[in-house]
Amino acid sequence: MSDQAPSEVTVTVNGTEIEAQPGEMLIAATDRAGIHIPRFCYHERMSSVGMCRMCLVDVDTGRGPMLQPSCMVPVADGMVVDTESDDTKRAQEGILEFLLVNHPLDCPVCDKGGECPLQDQTIAYGPGESRFVEEKRHFEKPIPISDLVHLDRERCILCDRCTRFADEIAGDPLIQFTERGNSTQVLTFPDEPFSSYFSGNTVQICPVGALTAAPYRFKARPWDLEETESTCTTCSMGCRISVQSSRNELVRYLGVDVESVNHGWLCDKGRFNFEAINSDERLTVPLVRDQENQRQLLGTDWGSALAAAAEAIGQAGPQGVGIIGGSRLTNEDAYAWSKMARSVIGTDNIDAQLDDGLPAELVLGLPPATIADACEADTVLIVGPDLKEELAILHLRLRGAATRGRTKVVQIGPTATGSESYAQHSIRCQAGEAAKTLTELLSSSDPLAQQLRDGSVVTILGRASMAESADPAISVAAVIRAELPHATFLSALRRGNVRGALDMGLAPGFLPGRVRIDNPSQALLQKWTDIPKEQGLGTTEMLQAAAAGKIETLVLLGADPLCDFPDRNLAAEAIQKVKTVVAIDNFVTSSVAQADIVLPATAYGEQNGTTTNIEGRVSRVIQKITPPGSTRDDWMIATELAWRLGGDLGLTSKDEIWREIEQVAPSHTGITLERVTSDETHEGILVQQSSIDLTLPIPQDTPIADGYGLRLISGRKLWDGATATAHSPSLQHLAEPPTLKVHPNDLQRLGIPSGSEVRVISTRATENLTAVADSNIQRGTAVLPFNQPGGGANRFIDATATINDIRIETL
Amino acid sequence: MKFFTDENLLLAEEIIGRYPKPRSAMIPLLHLAQEQEGWVTDEAMAEIAELVGTTSAEVLGTCSFYEMFKRHPVGKYVINICTTMSCALMGAGDLMKHAELRLGVKSGSTTADGMFTLEGAECQAACTEAPCLQVNYRHQYKVTANQFDALVEELGSSDHEVPEHGVLSQVRQHIPEDRFVGVVPPEDVTTAPVWLNDNGSDQ
Amino acid sequence: MSEMTGTPIAHAPGFIANETPRIVTARFDHADSHTLERYEATDGYQALRKALQLTPEEVHSEVTAATLLGRGGAGFPAGVKWGFCPPGVWPRYLVVNGDESEPGTYKDRLLMELDPHQLIEGCLIACYAVGLSQCFLYIRGEMAVAQERVATALNDAYDAGYIGKNILGTEFSVDIVLHWGAGAYVVGEETALIESLEGNRGMPRLKPPYFPASIGLYGQPTIVNNVETLANLPWIVQHGAAAFTAIGTESSPGTRMVAVSGHVKRPGVYEIVNGTTTFRDLLYGADMCGGIRDDNQLKAFVPGGGSAPWFTPDQLDLPFEASQVGPQGSMLGSGAIMVMDETTDIPSAALTLTKFYAHESCGKCVPCREGGTWLEQILRRVVEGRGTPRDLELLIEVGETICPGDFPHAAVPSKGIEAVPFPYRMTTICFVGPSAFAPVHSALTLFREEFEAKVAGNEHPTMIEVAVDV
Ligand SMILES: Cc1cc2nc3c(=O)[nH]c(=O)nc-3n(C[C@H](O)[C@H](O)[C@H](O)COP(=O)(O)O)c2cc1C
Ligand code: SF4
Ligand code: FES
């Protein structure tokens, strides 16, 4: 978007001329000019409905002043507006009196009290007193409309914000007005809750306390809250949020409206998983496995734990150490670990991804696109995971671009996804065969091929299934590079700061600043003592090496391979085989429970720094609360370990680390600490759109299914068994146990009734699961979510195979 | 789980097929559901949502907006006495009082035998024939107390013409296939209708 | 003939013939006026044949020349409205407004029950002239008999080749789809009608900026016309605009149907000459209502549907001409005249109308949703003798939040009351909110002493309360 389209319209408001953009609503123009018009139903990210009539102002278009709703009146040149006329004031007083007629005025016990637009505007614009003596409308007090949101219909002023959001923005029209006139109320259908991934947004935009969020109810009063603006790192979208705390506890996140990223919206996972940070189950002291006594993890002091870790790392030697993880870290922490691995330990065996994303080369080498590029492109081509599940706000942005803009969304993949509802075309392909389908499409005379060739194209590229290797995605990239050279890419990587970790060199063969290990900058060589010559191992290779006894010490940098690596068996074998596992984490995850040395790290909201989102946008994360126990920042842990290994990272604060990054990382040149920390850049700064040279292999055919089995497809769900969800009391029950979905005909062929237990057999495991018939699933395939409480697909996957098949049998 | 009878499902599909967007069929299908069951059940709303491609909440939102859709069982005959101005001027108040006495229920309720639901209604477009009422949306004009009693008698016997609640028009529109122009989603239409270009000559 | 699955029920009574030329009620005298046979035998579908010989533009021009004012309430010329469709935007739709629900209004139902083919022919002419490619005929839900008659007529007309593909062998093809409402007065408002037709809650859409002619059904250009408006088209096409404008006045030509209800000797539906017939002709004329019942005194009358500010005997000589009625403080609206004689208890009469609009509010605008109900509550209190003098002020204050400024009303010279001309200003989207205030305001302005008597506890023994307890 261009910053300021040339405005052609001048409107006089309260005697002052203001510039407005043709076609925009008056209220948008006055907002920009800093003239406040009260309102309830208007919301700048949704269509105007003109319901509340609070924004009436005197508008004169040449025929004398008339009260007009400023949210519905498009500006016109020469329009004269009076927002303070007697008529306007009387109308405002009148509307407020009407709104209060049926409002319970229970402000002292209302979550919204103190930050309530109705309360505030009543004080600013309202009548002194109400003349209403009749009985107010009564409804049953708060009723849950979903697992996370409660509705108090007595407080509701029927502004249509929540219902409009559900329909227009989220695409989940599960709440609606019911009844009519004075009996109108917001409701869900009986037994069909408002189970939207975005339900929390309705609480945020409700102008009264009618909608409240279960995790926040009665937690705090607005005047007790401290808040700071930060960036959400739950996934890699990088939504801007306001982090709010009360008495050193995180109590609420609110979305902050930034044009480039989230438009103010958050998914419920990002919004509510602060509960995990407050959890009693957080790691607060270092733990070391007692060698004699039943091999338990026992609390210890930092000195001993660090010494033990350093010893294990030192003894293993550079080739005997593997470091997995790092996408939970801020950029600064990631940089410290990158430096520590290369120049202190001397190893390049480091990988922030768990071989569940795309090779770093692809992420750093494909011509990049921004989120805004995608939302303005003629066509967005999605070849990857279900964005609604994995990058929920990207899904929301694309949905908006497709339903309210001119962007056409085309997706190619093996299963139904949440994007189908707004896609122009949803093309089903066999698992792992998107490249083939795309090639066929592009060589056909289908108008879609023409559309892709002629217009701008942004590809959202990722792994469509955790049960396939990265090869199919690489093939897709190769086809697109060859056939659609104008197309740009956004990598559908999921974990928090994975993009920043890759930029900082947490990938074998890469150094900070998107450079290959054989091509370090002069500046970097001055700061880093030694750099390994050879490219190291990626996660799969490290785990294989560990399983083969070639790696002695495995460092898990906020990684939980037992849950997150596609191949649970390989991960388990590796962890079992290595001599020492050093885990740096916030919680005792499945993998941490197997570790020998556990170092407790600070978590989100407890540390400052920067994070980089999916499109390469660097923005700040801010400390809001003091960390629990003796937890430490990851960069400090790196520094301390380096000391004990006889090195010196030369890093003493996060600010200082950023200054070094700016110097040594070519892609980050010019992104100075001053710029990063300035309020003006709160949307974040796009890292130079630089990319490395990339040679893509010639696409290979995917192996044919063996005919007996079902091709396994596995994606992640928003509500899964992941740590943050599992430790958030309000969220943990939202994740469903895993079920295997199969086409009804396939089940019938096997004589298996839908809903029954079956034996699932792969080359890796044999386990029992519930199989359910689902006609949305392609024949010959089976869909199993990756990581749900009680299990998931990772038990069945062989990470070394391009694709995975399973067999199912009746018990 | 299926709500509509096979016959009505076919009809529902035919109705949907007449609109450029399926959602437009929502009110006609709610009428069809009410005709089948006498009132609109949750199952009906859920099935209509599926048929027109939306959520049950949306169907509920629409359904509950309109007075005629009943979301709980009502009498076999719903008697609506008009209470708006023209009828009120001509004695609708007395008629309502009489009706309440005769049926033994207050306005808004159903008789114990499930035969009659009595309601006050708004203007029925028969103002010159006041006071008037409707039985299952069939008008009765200039209704006196005696006529009301006679009507109740008649409805209690089998000798009358009023179908059960839910049945509106007893004639359905039928568009012969060979005459049906058919519908095209508005997005797919870009040109003016042919007769505008071609003056629509007689031959 | 279409099959009937049940026994037909007799159509509505109410029409009373008079000496006025019969444009839309010409066939009402025939018992079988609704059949295709009768229609064809009485010039039926000849206008369509004639129109198809002309170009669409010629038909449109003829209608524009006829100055056919919309009969749904707003009185906007149909030909001009048709011209508002933005050029080059297709498809365009026709939505027929057969939702007739305005208190006192009774004419469209007669036209649908007694002469459905005339309406159908009118729809076809409109579609041909403006290039409307599909027509939706929206009939009020509570009109089972009209639905039956129109369905039968549509079926017969389809079979006879008047509707559908290649009408009468020409290129002209259009479907007419019958659609019923389900009971919501506000759906008569054209934007709400479109919402309803899209399967939504019938809540009016905001204007400005959009009129249905530019953005209507499915976001496409859409003409919404009233049943009576369309029923005039066959006659206009057949006899020409000049014949039409020869009747009535230049600004209000032709005839119009009016329903007179309440305290007159012969309440009924009359076709009258537009522009020249006066309210006195209508209420007292020997071939029309024949005077007030029992030869009582006329106290007040509502001249144009429940939304219209009231008139008193002082306005009896005004003709059915918008340009004269407006300055005198009211409107002609939907052609519904409700007559109150001297026995009428005015506050309770006003309550029946305010209750109507409060009940029929769609709930979208705060002033209508909350204000309408509040007005009803206060007024009920006053009518039931529980009011205070303060309540009479409050009624006006609450009303002024719905309609700021001076609300229109009629003059009562004997009381020194001067007229405030129509229209009013409003804080709502549509006219339902203001309509809840209109009767309160008229009654309180013109008959304040009756309200004062109520709050003082002095009942008028001779006046008959009209509000119905429900
Ligand atoms: C609250 C409200 C109710 C209305 N009800 C009706 C109605 O029942 N029938 C009708 O034809 N027009 C009704 N109208 C007028 C329509 O909005 C619209 O002006 C009319 O259908 C246009 O047709 P015409 O130009 O042929 O008169 C109503 C308007 C309002 C504001
Ligand atoms: S004025 Fe009343 S009926 Fe009209 S749109 Fe507003 S709320 Fe709905
Ligand atoms: S903000 Fe404009 S009407 Fe509500």
Side-chain angles (χ1 to χ4, degrees):
Chain A
M1 261 190 80
S2 60
D3 282 350
Q4 196 83 68
S7 24
E8 295 152 31
V9 178
T10 307
V11 180
T12 309
V13 183
N14 303 341
T16 315
E17 289 197 343
I18 67 168
E19 297 283 285
Q21 278 150 31
E24 76 176 325
M25 295 302 156
L26 176 58
I27 199 168
T30 50
D31 272 359
R32 227 173 325 99
I35 301 163
H36 184 72
I37 296 174
R39 83 287 305 264
F40 292 108
C41 66
Y42 174 73
H43 188 282
E44 60 278 15
R45 291 291 180 193
M46 300 194 284
S47 62
S48 290
V49 285
M51 255 186 112
C52 72
R53 321 304 287 172
M54 189 63 204
C55 70
L56 290 168
V57 293
D58 256 326
V59 176
D60 188 345
T61 46
R63 282 177 296 151
M66 291 255 285
L67 282 179
Q68 296 281 338
S70 51
C71 70
M72 291 299 299
V73 176
V75 289
D77 209 25
M79 193 179 244
V80 178
V81 179
D82 190 343
T83 72
E84 292 164 350
S85 69
D86 287 348
D87 274 2
T88 306
K89 285 196 176 130
R90 256 201 307 278
Q92 288 167 346
E93 275 183 23
I95 301 290
L96 279 165
E97 183 175 20
F98 282 160
L99 284 175
L100 297 181
V101 154
N102 279 301
H103 192 79
L105 297 171
D106 55 350
C107 314
V109 295
C110 176
D111 269 352
K112 204 82 175 189
E115 57 174 10
C116 172
L118 181 59
Q119 207 176 31
D120 297 347
Q121 299 193 35
T122 300
I123 292 162
Y125 306 96
E129 58 181 281
S130 173
R131 297 168 289 190
F132 187 77
V133 295
E134 274 77 15
E135 177 78 3
K136 288 179 192 264
R137 257 192 312 257
H138 282 300
F139 290 113
E140 190 188 333
K141 270 300 191 180
I143 48 169
I145 55 169
S146 77
D147 289 302
L148 296 166
V149 178
H150 293 250
L151 167 67
D152 180 333
R153 288 165 293 171
E154 292 185 347
R155 291 181 188 154
C156 172
I157 58 166
L158 303 171
C159 68
D160 198 20
R161 278 186 172 197
C162 60
T163 38
R164 235 180 317 157
F165 172 84
D167 179 26
E168 228 176 87
I169 308 290
D172 298 317
L174 298 166
I175 43 175
Q176 225 325 353
F177 285 140
T178 63
E179 309 300 326
R180 189 179 72 201
N182 202 40
S183 312
T184 309
Q185 50 188 293
V186 172
L187 265 187
T188 54
F189 193 71
D191 301 325
E192 270 186 48
F194 179 41
S195 50
S196 168
Y197 285 171
F198 308 99
S199 70
N201 293 294
T202 61
V203 177
Q204 179 170 344
I205 61 179
C206 177
V208 292
L211 292 170
T212 45
Y216 178 71
R217 280 169 65 81
F218 310 122
K219 276 275 166 61
R221 309 302 329 233
W223 46 88
D224 293 331
L225 289 179
E226 292 175 42
E227 73 170 319
T228 182
E229 192 177 316
S230 190
T231 307
C232 177
T233 59
T234 302
C235 78
S236 62
M237 224 4 223
C239 297
R240 287 298 279 173
I241 58 173
S242 162
V243 174
Q244 306 188 338
S245 66
S246 170
R247 279 173 256 114
N248 203 38
E249 185 178 313
L250 297 180
V251 291
R252 181 167 73 173
Y253 295 165
L254 294 177
V256 172
D257 192 335
V258 290
E259 179 61 38
S260 51
V261 184
N262 55 319
H263 288 186
W265 312 127
L266 298 179
C267 71
D268 286 355
K269 185 172 178 170
R271 182 182 296 273
F272 296 121
N273 69 11
F274 63 82
E275 287 186 338
I277 292 166
N278 300 328
S279 164
D280 290 341
E281 288 153 7
R282 281 280 302 280
L283 276 167
T284 54
V285 292
L287 309 172
V288 170
R289 195 167 297 283
D290 179 7
Q291 294 305 334
E292 286 96 50
N293 219 338
Q294 299 184 322
R295 297 188 43 81
Q296 279 186 326
L297 279 171
L298 299 177
T300 183
D301 59 290
W302 273 97
S304 330
L306 285 166
E311 193 187 326
I313 292 168
Q315 275 180 2
Q319 299 316 314
V321 177
I323 304 172
I324 298 177
S327 54
R328 170 179 60 71
L329 278 49
T330 63
N331 289 329
E332 292 81 352
D333 294 297
Y335 178 82
W337 272 93
S338 184
K339 187 172 182 181
M340 141 90 170
R342 271 53 174 256
S343 77
V344 177
I345 304 176
T347 185
D348 191 46
N349 296 341
I350 185 161
D351 197 348
Q353 298 193 80
L354 272 65
D355 205 8
D356 55 350
L358 295 174
E361 244 178 348
L362 234 57
V363 179
L364 302 178
L366 289 169
T370 63
I371 295 163
D373 291 343
C375 295
E376 278 157 27
D378 295 318
T379 310
V380 170
L381 187 58
I382 304 176
V383 194
D386 187 342
L387 299 180
K388 185 173 179 183
E389 304 290 344
E390 305 215 357
L391 289 161
I393 295 295
L394 181 60
H395 156 84
L396 219 60
R397 288 289 313 272
L398 291 177
R399 185 180 180 278
T403 55
R404 293 187 299 283
R406 44 173 275 282
T407 301
K408 303 263 185 280
V409 171
V410 175
Q411 59 165 353
I412 303 178
T415 51
T417 74
S419 307
E420 228 163 54
S421 63
Y422 53 87
Q424 176 197 24
H425 299 281
S426 290
I427 303 166
R428 293 285 168 83
C429 65
Q430 285 302 317
E433 295 183 1
K436 191 169 140 202
T437 305
L438 188 58
T439 307
E440 280 165 13
L441 168 70
L442 289 172
S443 56
S444 76
S445 58
D446 195 305
L448 178 56
Q450 205 58 33
Q451 176 185 329
L452 289 166
R453 283 187 200 288
D454 293 351
S456 57
V457 176
V458 170
T459 308
I460 315 262
L461 182 67
R463 265 198 219 196
S465 162
M466 301 287 286
E468 61 187 50
S469 73
D471 291 348
I474 298 172
S475 298
V476 169
V479 173
I480 294 175
R481 288 300 291 142
E483 301 292 325
L484 303 170
H486 58 293
T488 52
F489 291 81
L490 204 51
S491 304
L493 304 179
R494 180 189 214 229
R495 232 164 268 129
N497 190 25
V498 60
R499 182 63 203 244
L502 297 183
D503 279 357
M504 292 302 110
L506 293 192
F510 287 94
L511 294 172
R514 304 179 185 170
V515 292
R516 292 191 192 269
I517 198 155
D518 54 8
N519 187 24
S521 68
Q522 259 340 93
L524 186 123
L525 287 173
Q526 279 176 11
K527 295 281 182 187
W528 292 28
T529 45
D530 241 332
I531 296 170
K533 299 279 170 299
E534 301 265 296
Q535 175 168 334
L537 307 177
T539 296
T540 305
E541 295 158 310
M542 280 190 258
L543 293 172
Q544 283 172 325
K550 290 186 208 148
I551 278 184
E552 238 176 67
T553 299
L554 206 50
V555 180
L556 301 179
L557 199 48
D560 180 6
L562 285 177
C563 283
D564 292 335
F565 182 67
D567 183 337
R568 184 184 171 94
N569 292 282
L570 175 55
E573 205 184 335
I575 287 175
Q576 248 243 303
K577 278 277 168 59
V578 291
K579 227 169 113 190
T580 312
V581 175
V582 180
I584 298 153
D585 216 316
N586 302 138
F587 288 97
V588 181
T589 63
S590 326
S591 304
V592 171
Q594 310 281 312
D596 304 287
I597 301 160
V598 181
L599 305 176
T602 52
Y604 186 78
E606 298 164 359
Q607 36 171 265
N608 286 311
T610 59
T611 186
T612 305
N613 82 346
I614 185 175
E615 54 180 346
R617 182 180 301 277
V618 174
S619 60
R620 300 249 295 155
V621 295
I622 307 280
Q623 177 175 358
K624 188 78 225 62
I625 52 172
T626 46
S630 65
T631 52
R632 291 190 183 172
D633 284 2
D634 298 272
W635 72 272
M636 283 186 196
I637 298 173
T639 309
E640 297 265 4
L641 279 173
W643 268 104
R644 284 177 164 77
L645 287 164
D648 180 0
L649 294 181
L651 304 171
T652 56
S653 76
K654 283 211 163 166
D655 285 357
E656 192 181 342
I657 300 177
W658 187 264
R659 285 192 209 280
E660 185 165 317
I661 293 171
E662 199 252 326
Q663 273 173 34
V664 309
S667 56
H668 288 55
T669 309
I671 307 181
T672 60
L673 182 66
E674 289 65 34
R675 280 185 67 202
V676 169
T677 51
S678 151
D679 281 347
E680 263 146 51
T681 56
H682 81 129
E683 292 208 10
I685 303 170
L686 266 183
V687 175
Q688 277 178 24
Q689 296 287 55
S690 63
S691 46
I692 55 157
D693 287 341
L694 179 68
T695 326
L696 288 159
I698 294 172
Q700 301 284 308
D701 274 351
T702 309
I704 309 277
D706 62 17
Y708 294 107
L710 299 169
R711 191 133 284 192
L712 179 62
I713 297 166
S714 177
R716 293 176 178 275
K717 309 289 268 174
L718 186 86
W719 302 127
D720 63 4
T723 312
T725 308
H727 290 95
S728 297
S730 305
L731 309 181
Q732 56 198 186
H733 58 285
L734 297 176
E736 289 170 359
T739 48
L740 186 75
K741 291 190 180 157
V742 185
H743 190 275
N745 291 8
D746 283 335
L747 272 191
Q748 216 168 30
R749 183 171 50 87
L750 296 163
I752 297 169
S754 176
S756 57
E757 284 263 290
V758 292
R759 182 174 301 124
V760 181
I761 304 158
S762 79
T763 54
R764 282 294 204 229
T766 300
E767 276 183 38
N768 295 349
L769 278 173
T770 309
V772 172
D774 183 340
S775 46
N776 279 320
I777 307 292
Q778 286 195 96
R779 297 190 60 172
T781 59
V783 175
L784 180 63
F786 184 69
N787 174 23
Q788 297 306 107
N794 60 355
R795 286 140 177 82
F796 302 102
I797 297 170
D798 171 358
T800 62
T802 311
I803 48 159
N804 280 270
D805 289 341
I806 54 165
R807 256 184 317 130
I808 56 177
E809 290 175 355
T810 40
L811 294 185
Chain B
M1 281 291 286
K2 212 163 65 78
F3 170 78
F4 279 119
T5 60
D6 289 347
E7 193 188 339
N8 280 344
L9 195 60
L10 282 178
L11 207 49
E13 271 151 16
E14 186 184 333
I15 291 170
I16 293 170
R18 290 182 190 156
Y19 296 93
K21 304 225 163 161
R23 189 181 167 122
S24 282
M26 200 187 292
I27 291 175
L29 297 195
L30 284 163
H31 275 306
L32 189 61
Q34 182 147 295
E35 176 166 331
Q36 183 177 312
E37 198 70 25
W39 59 290
V40 182
T41 60
D42 285 355
E43 293 69 37
M45 284 189 269
E47 190 162 316
I48 290 170
E50 239 169 74
L51 285 168
V52 305
T54 185
T55 60
S56 312
E58 291 279 301
V59 179
L60 173 64
T62 296
C63 177
S64 62
F65 186 87
Y66 298 92
E67 206 92 20
M68 289 171 72
F69 295 132
K70 308 296 179 192
R71 280 171 300 125
H72 45 78
V74 290
K76 192 166 164 188
Y77 303 106
V78 174
I79 301 180
N80 284 319
I81 296 182
C82 177
T83 63
T84 314
M85 178 111 157
S86 308
C87 287
L89 286 172
M90 300 301 285
D94 292 339
L95 178 59
M96 177 60 89
K97 280 191 198 114
H98 175 79
E100 287 183 338
L101 275 175
R102 172 67 182 79
L103 295 176
V105 291
K106 294 296 280 179
S107 160
S109 340
T110 301
T111 55
D113 60 1
M115 280 292 282
F116 300 103
T117 297
L118 180 64
E119 289 178 353
E122 302 293 7
C123 182
Q124 298 174 339
C127 315
T128 63
E129 313 305 303
C132 64
L133 61 76
Q134 289 192 316
V135 185
N136 292 349
Y137 307 106
R138 273 79 184 163
H139 285 94
Q140 301 284 323
Y141 307 105
K142 296 188 175 162
V143 184
T144 61
N146 285 342
Q147 278 166 343
F148 183 85
D149 295 348
L151 174 72
V152 170
E153 284 297 312
E154 194 181 317
L155 291 169
S157 75
S158 54
D159 184 28
H160 62 80
E161 308 161 333
V162 181
E164 288 188 18
H165 181 255
V167 179
L168 288 175
S169 177
Q170 296 174 95
V171 182
R172 295 214 179 270
Q173 179 176 18
H174 172 68
I175 304 182
E177 236 165 82
D178 60 333
R179 304 258 347 116
F180 188 38
V181 183
V183 295
V184 185
E187 309 77 90
D188 298 348
V189 181
T190 50
T191 53
V194 280
W195 71 88
L196 277 199
N197 305 329
D198 192 26
N199 295 351
S201 80
D202 219 351
Q203 254 60 56
Chain C
M1 276 293 289
S2 284
E3 276 168 61
M4 189 91 165
T5 55
T7 330
I9 288 176
H11 68 73
F15 175 71
I16 299 174
N18 65 83
E19 268 131 54
T20 304
R22 306 269 293 273
I23 292 183
V24 286
T25 63
R27 287 178 202 86
F28 283 18
D29 299 336
H30 300 281
D32 60 351
S33 62
H34 57 286
T35 61
L36 181 59
E37 290 74 12
R38 171 62 61 193
Y39 194 63
E40 285 178 326
T42 49
D43 279 356
Y45 291 111
Q46 292 307 322
L48 175 65
R49 288 180 204 275
K50 183 172 171 193
L52 292 176
Q53 310 267 3
L54 305 170
T55 66
E57 295 74 26
E58 284 165 346
V59 176
H60 188 165
S61 310
E62 201 65 24
V63 174
T64 308
T67 321
L68 171 61
L69 303 185
R71 305 290 198 245
F76 198 82
V80 177
K81 184 188 324 197
W82 293 359
F84 290 159
C85 291
V89 186
W90 311 101
R92 298 169 173 174
Y93 299 110
L94 174 64
V95 176
V96 182
N97 193 342
D99 195 56
E100 186 167 61
S101 333
E102 177 75 15
T105 313
Y106 178 26
K107 62 191 182 68
D108 296 339
R109 185 164 72 90
L110 280 178
L111 289 169
M112 292 188 281
E113 290 188 12
L114 298 188
D115 202 347
H117 286 285
Q118 176 177 256
L119 170 62
I120 291 168
E121 191 175 5
C123 296
L124 293 168
I125 291 168
C127 289
Y128 176 73
V130 196
L132 313 171
S133 54
Q134 199 174 357
C135 168
F136 299 92
L137 210 165
Y138 192 117
I139 301 185
R140 181 173 169 186
E142 293 96 330
M143 296 180 177
V145 178
Q147 293 157 11
E148 279 168 1
R149 290 281 171 94
V150 173
T152 307
L154 285 171
N155 291 348
D156 293 347
Y158 258 108
D159 288 341
Y162 293 119
I163 321 178
K165 249 185 230 166
N166 300 105
I167 292 168
L168 297 174
T170 67
E171 297 257 79
F172 176 47
S173 300
V174 69
D175 283 319
I176 300 180
V177 171
L178 178 58
H179 187 102
W180 319 325
Y185 159 74
V186 65
V187 162
E189 196 281 337
E190 56 191 2
T191 60
L193 190 70
I194 287 169
E195 285 290 331
S196 180
L197 194 49
E198 290 184 4
N200 300 332
R201 299 166 58 75
M203 309 209 284
R205 291 176 183 173
L206 229 112
K207 313 163 280 194
Y210 307 124
F211 287 94
S214 55
I215 299 185
L217 186 64
Y218 314 126
Q220 296 299 124
T222 302
I223 297 298
V224 180
N225 269 140
N226 167 260
V227 165
E228 186 188 343
T229 313
L230 292 161
N232 271 285
L233 294 177
W235 196 95
I236 291 173
V237 168
Q238 211 170 2
H239 298 87
F244 191 76
T245 52
I247 304 169
T249 59
E250 195 187 339
S251 51
S252 301
T255 63
R256 69 177 294 165
M257 287 176 79
V258 296
V260 188
S261 58
H263 300 157
V264 287
K265 286 186 177 154
R266 278 207 301 166
V269 181
Y270 299 87
E271 183 165 4
I272 61 166
V273 178
N274 223 351
T276 56
T277 309
T278 65
F279 289 104
R280 190 182 298 283
D281 298 338
L282 182 62
L283 299 194
Y284 290 93
D287 62 340
M288 298 203 199
C289 297
I292 306 304
R293 70 165 178 191
D294 304 336
D295 290 325
N296 284 347
Q297 291 298 307
L298 170 66
K299 192 168 187 179
F301 62 99
V302 189
S307 318
W310 298 4
F311 278 165
T312 65
D314 293 311
Q315 284 77 39
L316 272 176
D317 292 314
L318 286 171
F320 275 82
E321 168 64 66
S323 63
Q324 296 198 44
V325 167
Q328 292 307 312
S330 192
M331 60 165 186
L332 293 172
S334 55
I337 294 95
M338 292 179 276
V339 179
M340 292 167 262
D341 71 8
E342 60 189 291
T343 69
T344 312
D345 175 76
I346 289 288
S348 61
L351 177 57
T352 65
L353 286 175
T354 297
K355 178 205 76 174
F356 175 88
Y357 293 104
H359 177 242
E360 295 298 339
S361 166
C362 81
K364 190 167 182 173
C365 311
V366 171
C368 173
R369 180 179 79 226
E370 306 293 344
T373 307
W374 196 2
L375 281 177
E376 184 196 336
Q377 286 169 328
I378 304 166
L379 189 53
R380 189 175 295 280
R381 198 157 73 209
V382 170
V383 166
E384 289 172 359
R386 296 178 288 114
T388 64
R390 175 78 188 98
D391 283 336
L392 305 187
E393 310 309 319
L394 190 54
L395 281 171
I396 298 296
E397 288 163 16
V398 170
E400 279 176 346
T401 303
I402 307 173
C403 295
D406 289 337
F407 198 85
H409 61 76
V412 190
S414 60
K415 294 180 184 168
I417 299 171
E418 276 178 46
V420 171
F422 204 76
Y424 41 74
R425 306 172 69 190
M426 58 205 249
T427 58
T428 53
I429 296 173
C430 85
F431 296 100
V432 173
S435 300
F437 182 46
V440 184
H441 184 269
S442 285
L444 197 49
T445 307
L446 307 177
F447 303 96
R448 194 176 174 92
E449 64 285 356
E450 292 197 27
F451 287 83
E452 283 167 351
K454 291 254 183 212
V455 295
N458 304 328
E459 285 292 338
H460 243 285
T462 56
M463 286 182 199
I464 302 168
E465 279 204 15
V466 294
V468 182
D469 256 334
V470 278

